[in-house]
Amino acid sequence: MWLGPEEVLVANALWVTERANPFFVLQRRRGHGKGGGLTGLLVGTLDVVLDSSARVAPYRILHQTQDSQVYWTVACGSSRKEITKHWEWLENNLLQTLSIFDNEEDITTFVKGKIHGIIAEENKNLQPQGDEDPGKFKEAEVKMRKQFGMPEGEKLVNYYSCSYWKGRVPRQGWLYLTVNHLCFYSFLLGKEVSLVVQWVDVTRLEKNATLLFPESIRVDTRDQELFFSMFLNIGETFKLMEQLANLAMRQLLDSEGFLEDKAPPRPPQPHRNISALKRDLDARAKNECYCATFRLPRDERLDGHTCCTLWTPFNKLHIPGQMFISSNYICFASKEEDACHLIIPLREVTIVEKADSSSVLPSPLSISTKSKMTFLFANLKDRDFLVQRISDFLQKTPSKQLGSSRAGRKASAVDPALESPPASQDVSEQPASPTSPLSGHQSSRAQDAPTASQGLLKLFQRNTPVEDLGAKGAKEKMKEESWNIHFFEYGRGMCMYRTARTRELVLKGIPESLRGELWLLFSGAWNEMVTHPGYYAELVEKSTGKYSLATEEIERDLHRSMPEHPAFQNELGIAALRRVLTAYAFRNPTIGYCQAMNIVTSVLLLYGSEEEAFWLLVALCERMLPDYYNTRVVGALVDQGIFEELTRDFLPQLSEKMQDLGVISSISLSWFLTLFLSVMPFESAVVIVDCFFYEGIKVILQVALAVLDANMEQLLGCSDEGEAMTVLGRYLDNVVNKQSVSPPIPHLHALLTSGDAPPEEVDIFDLLKVSYEKFSSLRAEDIEQMRFKQRLKVIQSLEDTAKRSVVRAIPGDIGFSIEELEDLYMVFKAKHLASQYWGRSRPAAARRDPSLPYLEQYRIDANQFRELFASLTPWVCGSHTAVLAGRMFRLLDENKDSLINFKEFVTGMSGMYHGDLTEKLKVLYKLHLPPALSPEEAESALEATHYFTEDSSSEETLQQEEREGAGNEDVQEKKREEKASSPPDCRHYLRMWAKEKEAQKETIKDLPKMNQEQFIELCKTLYNMFSEDPMEQDLYHAIATVASLLLRIGEVGKRFTARPGRRPRDDAPEEDQPPAPEPPQDTARELQLPAAGDPQAKAGGDTHLGKAPQESQVVGEGGGGEGQGSPSQPLSDDETKDDMSVSSYSVVSTGSLQCEDLADDTVLVGGEACGPVAATHCGGAVDTDWCISFEQILASILTESVLVNFFEKSVDIGLKTKDQRKVERQFSTSSDHELATGLG
């Protein structure tokens, strides 16, 4: 690549000059290429250890003038080819021009200008791609690809200098982090270390400091532990490694490829030497953190953030913190965690203005909203730019186009998607806070889809005035009053100031009347509901009447959802629950429906309308409890792992006991998946849900720890899991909410755990208080960190489970051991994942559906199978291997979807590795018949029709065809369909079912016969198969003998099979016609095929290629012995010089010449391809009567011991899979399309 000219003072240190002219010098770095000696060894080591590794290419071109001592670099190259290209360009385009200049300074100025011009032109061309990074980084990427043989599709994210600990010895080198792999390279005094690990194989990734490894990063896979240390910035490196491993886990979880995601916006001023991918990953991490902190929709994109202060009117302070701006929101987070959080949706903003600066209030910015609230920010660094960005986003906010809010509402945010006609104007306007009921709004939207317009609790609660409830009523009234005061001081709706005071009120319990509203606000569901008006009604309409597996499961669980609550003891509640769950399954088919969703949704419906419950469910499933409700409940298993880890940290005494009893895995899933709703009385669990919507998963973990802590003594005394479960069950049943104004609902779980002496009642508020006092040190960031660590473990253990399940699904008669099957599975899976990385146009690269059975989740296409076949097959056929692989793929792909699963793959492999000679030959035989032999390779379907006699309507003929088994199945089916009427239909199906059963017990007699063209293909395969064998010559001789014998058998058989169909030419009676005794002897003599490597024979074959078809035509037309009697008749004297080659052509006939891709050493027909003359005759003069059966081939091969030995020798597939994995790990070569992925 061309480089911007830089001055070099010492031109020859560490470099060797290879070419020179008056103006330029081409140099090679010592230690690269041949030779180099000790100096080269030292330079090579220095390059790796020092920063020069990434910066210095092995070749460079310098510019110098004769009298100057200063050199200028103008180009560098990673290969001789690249640098030579630049050198030639300089010689051809610049030398002549430079010789005209008189002044050396002018020469240097001209050269520098020219090089800068070339670089500018190159960069202009590369600009639109946006992927190319200039300078040092690009060189490092080139070096990484060359070092590890990575394809172009593998992008480098970043690289770091570090040490890899091999034993107790640190190896200084370079760590390259790519999208799919972690690579390390070190070269120290002649010793090379090269590592490649796939991110999907990482089972553990952690940063630790021990005495042996000071501040190191540990990377574990299933079969190795790697330690890296001595980083300049270990924090940044580890964070990036975490992100890449996380993306790989997401890919295993749901095949969501990294590059398929919509990339977050890049920073306006990118750093020169950081890759675009690194910037994207950093932006993605910030974006995810931003959305999680403020509970914003997942598609929200953070634009930027800046330090500022916010004036808080409730305590008259300027609170320092950070302002975040994204496309639809302005948010603020104080530096002190609980001081203040603020979310301002841009749809609410009416005025943004710059106030006058003062010493007290520098650079203030005022933002006003429709709810008459004004927010004052100050100390903004770049206020003008900020205001411009906000105004840009405000212009794109659709609500600006709509009218003002309707009278009587406290505030309103208008529908951002609709410019609706007056009739539906009311529908399009949504309140800014969920204070006003939404009744009457859905009905006009979708009259066909009735939806509950308010919480079911309001419909089914006894209308007892709060005053009549005594102390409980007074407490409820106080709670409502406290919240009203809070709304007055801190604001109401989305723009509320959220402070420590807000948390206190939530912990004291949200009053029944406000629960629905505050759940919507704190979860962020309100934002999505307001910005998607009518979406739920549309979903209900679309999903009504649609049947799927999810709807079946929903129907089954509807009456199990809080059956003790009056709201779900009648059709109104059940119908609402059905609509919400079905609509969600329709919205998100990846999750569909999972048990426990019904319990959570039924509670959501009690406190909100159907639409509100739907959006709360969306917030739960997609943001607050990620991956909880997918088919493998991965999220719940991850949090279960966190719970176990926290138990070890906070309750070490109990941890070991719980592990021994195996209790944690039993309890935590039901606790977490239903947020305690299924294990606690409803009125108590709902208080935990209040805190959950405000604080997130942290609350659930705290409460779970508090429950274990409260029962520690009893649990330590338990002897088995059942006893421990009873202790915990009884405790949870007696957690009561003494402040609840709802009538108590009997808790079904209590019936199972009630005993003689029920335990003391525990107040839910006391339990919450204890959980905050003892375990409040948990932080959201720590939980996310632990989630990552546990996700690696959980997904890898699920992958191991999948592997075991798939291996168990393979029938026992397949022949491979469990270990061999597991190795094959890993190789197969790696090949599938390769399509995810680089083969995005391939069908296998389509998004994997984790809900499919394990066996169907990983599948490969024909190209990938070809690569695996080439490396694993015991039948290596040189250049012909790819053709054989294609046939094997077609044979295995029974459903014709161009993909095969692991079971089909193993079946194919087993056919080549296991079984006796007959089984192996049977596989080989099938590979040369349709469907394995494609129409392009041979017009087999056409020829198969000629096997039958012309009278295809005769029943006798059909029976004969079935008996012989020589017909093409498609042709037979067609004939059956032509004949079909209703009674034969039944027989047809019975015959098909019988055939299906018999297919499992296929015998050699069931195999169809092989025509001449297919037989030639089989011989060609065998010749290629023997080409690299130690017994090559013996095998060639043996197969030549067998082929000759089989050709004669086919010729003889032809005469017998030909007679019933048509009369011989001379009208002699059939019984008088002898089976031509003479020609077979003649043929036997002539068909001694030339031995392999006989140049004369090959030459003879090539010479007579042109004439052979004419002679073959005579054979075809003769029908009897006369036509073949004198092969020399149609040939000239010159053409009969080599009797053997001519006679082989005369017997083989034109069918053999139709195979145009015969290899050079295929001596059966002696030549590589048909000549032009032969090609013209190929189509019309096929010897269709010639055929041979599998029994005949088997019997012939059994006569040659060398062939029997070849097919009966056992090959160890374990060695081949190890070699394949080694090749993949080391990436020694790369193909044009993709490279096999490494296995950890």
Side-chain angles (χ1 to χ4, degrees), residues 344-345 347-350 368-375 405 409-413 432-433 491-496:
I344 309 171
R347 61 178 183 268
E348 290 291 304
V349 173
T350 52
S368 303
T369 67
K370 292 174 183 173
S371 53
K372 307 290 185 287
M373 290 179 77
T374 301
F375 303 96
S405 61
R409 293 242 180 110
K410 291 188 179 174
S412 78
S433 68
R492 186 166 190 169
M494 213 67 219
C495 302
M496 179 201 301

Side-chain angles (χ1 to χ4, degrees), residues 122-398:
E122 278 184 355
N123 286 346
K124 193 171 79 177
N125 295 338
L126 293 172
Q127 208 90 38
Q129 296 175 8
D131 285 336
E132 295 297 328
D133 295 294
K136 194 164 76 169
F137 188 87
K138 189 177 172 187
E139 290 175 40
E141 187 163 47
V142 170
K143 186 172 175 118
M144 177 273 297
R145 290 221 179 96
K146 186 182 171 193
Q147 193 70 59
F148 302 102
M150 296 280 185
E152 284 294 316
E154 185 68 347
K155 300 287 184 192
L156 179 64
V157 181
N158 214 348
Y159 62 98
Y160 301 93
S161 170
C162 70
S163 289
Y164 160 62
W165 291 79
K166 195 167 184 183
R168 298 199 171 197
V169 182
R171 297 297 183 93
Q172 185 66 26
W174 288 88
L175 182 71
Y176 298 91
L177 304 180
T178 74
V179 174
N180 301 304
H181 298 88
L182 173 152
C183 309
F184 177 82
Y185 180 75
S186 168
F187 180 86
L188 282 172
L189 299 173
K191 287 193 176 179
E192 192 179 61
V193 176
S194 181
L195 286 172
V196 176
V197 175
Q198 271 185 287
W199 290 119
V200 289
D201 286 328
V202 172
T203 56
R204 183 175 178 181
L205 180 66
E206 60 185 29
K207 186 169 62 174
N208 52 23
T210 62
L211 200 60
L212 184 61
F213 305 120
E215 209 175 19
S216 62
I217 293 175
R218 174 178 177 170
V219 182
D220 286 7
T221 64
R222 284 179 180 80
D223 49 18
Q224 56 184 338
E225 292 177 5
L226 311 172
F227 289 90
F228 301 94
S229 66
M230 299 189 193
F231 291 93
L232 287 172
N233 187 344
I234 194 166
E236 181 199 324
T237 312
F238 183 69
K239 190 176 168 188
L240 181 58
M241 289 166 87
E242 261 190 337
Q243 285 176 300
L244 292 167
N246 221 343
L247 287 169
M249 292 307 110
R250 298 274 351 150
Q251 186 187 3
L252 282 179
L253 189 59
D254 59 7
S255 295
E256 181 185 356
F258 164 57
L259 297 170
E260 287 172 5
D261 279 1
K262 188 176 169 188
R266 292 179 182 173
Q269 296 176 327
H271 297 293
R272 182 178 172 80
N273 286 324
I274 294 181
S275 76
L277 277 172
K278 172 78 168 69
R279 291 196 299 270
D280 284 354
L281 280 169
D282 290 344
R284 172 191 291 250
K286 283 180 184 171
N287 202 72
E288 284 174 359
C289 184
Y290 168 66
C291 291
T293 305
F294 298 104
R295 305 271 165 80
L296 301 178
R298 286 194 304 176
D299 56 358
E300 191 62 23
R301 292 283 174 258
L302 177 64
D303 187 66
H305 56 91
T306 182
C307 292
C308 66
T309 56
L310 171 67
W311 169 253
T312 48
F314 51 86
N315 58 1
K316 310 283 188 294
L317 288 174
H318 290 283
I319 296 180
Q322 282 197 315
M323 177 196 276
F324 300 84
I325 296 175
S326 60
S327 41
N328 297 296
Y329 299 89
I330 298 170
C331 300
F332 174 85
S334 58
K335 281 185 180 172
E336 286 179 49
E337 198 176 349
D338 286 341
C340 183
H341 266 217
L342 180 66
I343 302 165
I344 309 171
L346 290 181
R347 61 178 183 268
E348 290 291 304
V349 173
T350 52
I351 300 167
V352 177
E353 59 181 347
K354 293 183 276 188
D356 295 334
S357 286
S358 67
S359 56
V360 182
L361 209 62
S363 307
L365 177 69
S366 165
I367 297 175
S368 303
T369 67
K370 292 174 183 173
S371 53
K372 307 290 185 287
M373 290 179 77
T374 301
F375 303 96
L376 188 62
F377 297 93
N379 293 289
L380 291 158
K381 285 179 184 172
D382 200 346
R383 187 175 61 163
D384 294 343
F385 175 72
L386 199 69
V387 170
Q388 185 58 49
R389 291 302 289 162
I390 294 172
S391 64
D392 289 347
F393 286 132
L394 279 170
Q395 283 172 357
K396 294 174 191 171
T397 305

Side-chain angles (χ1 to χ4, degrees), residues 72 109 234 246 377 458 503 667 717 720 1095 1116 1140 1151 1164 1202:
W72 300 85
T109 307
I234 194 166
N246 221 343
F377 297 93
K458 289 179 184 170
R503 176 191 280 146
I667 55 172
D720 60 25
M1140 292 212 275
L1164 190 71
V1202 67

Side-chain angles (χ1 to χ4, degrees), residues 91 104 304 318 375 526 533 557 590 610 759 793 799 820 910 933 941 970 1080 1120 1157 1178:
E91 284 192 325
E104 289 189 355
H318 290 283
F375 303 96
W526 179 249
D557 283 353
T590 312
E610 270 183 47
K793 280 186 193 171
E799 287 297 304
E820 287 171 338
S910 176
L933 199 71
D970 296 340
D1157 58 346
C1178 281

Side-chain angles (χ1 to χ4, degrees), residues 980-1008:
S981 59
S982 40
D985 266 354
C986 303
R987 284 185 302 166
H988 164 64
Y989 285 118
L990 284 168
R991 204 179 297 144
M992 277 178 64
W993 290 333
K995 202 181 204 179
E996 276 175 22
K997 286 182 181 174
E998 284 165 16
Q1000 294 169 2
K1001 303 171 188 173
E1002 185 184 58
T1003 65
I1004 56 175
K1005 290 188 177 179
D1006 297 327
L1007 295 168

